[in-house]
Amino acid sequence: MDRILYTAMSGASQTMAQQEVVSHNLANVSTSGFRAQLHAARAVPVEGVGTLPTRVSTVASTPGADFRAGPITRTGRALDIALEGEGWIAVQAAGGGEAYTRRGDLQLDGAGMLTSNGRPVMGEGGPLMVPPGADTFIGSDGTVSVIGVGENAKALVAVGRIKLVDGRGAGLQRGDDGLFRPPPGADGNIVPLPASETLRVTSGALEGSNVSAVETMVSMIDLARRYEMQMKVIGTADENAQRANSLLSLQG
């Protein structure tokens, strides 16, 4: 009887974990540059003292992300950029290290710092700063140029270049903060990716999330039904165990 409980209980646990992933994806269906999180589970035998090889549990396999590109939408906004190919924007993480994002709806804070979702955008020498009140433009190679207050177009001056990195073959992994990083090296440290000179961006456009709202809703319904079925199996196994105990009691 416990074989049924092992299977149903571990399956229900992983279904709940998958529901969390799907809910997170659904919540970010309109987030610029968002990459859907993936979830997978596999069956493994339960090992230990007194256990039999017929007992099987379900565990989550290594999670990852769906790196397919999202749809491009023209916005006309000067600080909106959509990255082409496998490009990523380098930003400063909360701990001071470097991380990467595809979110291109850039902003300027009160001090003139260029940010992505509140995180400083990195340039060649650190976070990019723009003179307050200046008109800002971003070129196809990530160069940030400004026109000072009261000046004409001829006064266009480059103030820096957004650090763009190529994510191909880097094995980028999503962190708890939603940013991506390469895996740590043998010494446990994460080495920042080098800037790419060939990557390009489209100014005045945004890449949308690669999450399909319809597919995600269907997946959510399917998971809810699957969880309900697994809980029914647990209830049935409990009822069968009680009946078996009753029969043993009568025979005794």
Side-chain angles (χ1 to χ4, degrees), residues 165-200:
V165 303
D166 194 335
R168 288 178 299 181
L172 295 177
Q173 301 172 351
R174 191 199 313 270
D176 294 336
D177 54 3
L179 300 175
F180 287 79
R181 299 169 176 83
D187 58 357
N189 296 321
I190 296 177
V191 179
L193 297 178
S196 172
E197 300 296 330
T198 59
L199 290 172
R200 293 293 179 264

Side-chain angles (χ1 to χ4, degrees), residues 4-81:
I4 301 177
L5 291 175
Y6 267 117
T7 304
M9 176 189 64
S10 61
S13 174
Q14 291 304 318
T15 299
M16 290 183 65
Q18 193 168 358
Q19 283 180 325
E20 294 179 2
V21 171
V22 174
S23 298
H24 179 67
N25 289 341
L26 190 61
N28 288 278
V29 71
S30 60
T31 300
S32 172
F34 181 78
R35 292 292 183 260
Q37 186 174 349
L38 302 177
H39 182 280
R42 58 189 176 91
V44 296
V46 177
E47 299 178 352
V49 178
T51 60
L52 299 177
T54 55
R55 277 55 176 171
V56 177
S57 181
T58 306
V59 298
S61 61
T62 303
D66 182 358
F67 287 98
R68 291 179 298 175
I72 303 297
T73 304
R74 298 292 305 186
T75 65
R77 181 173 174 268
L79 292 182
D80 286 344
I81 58 173

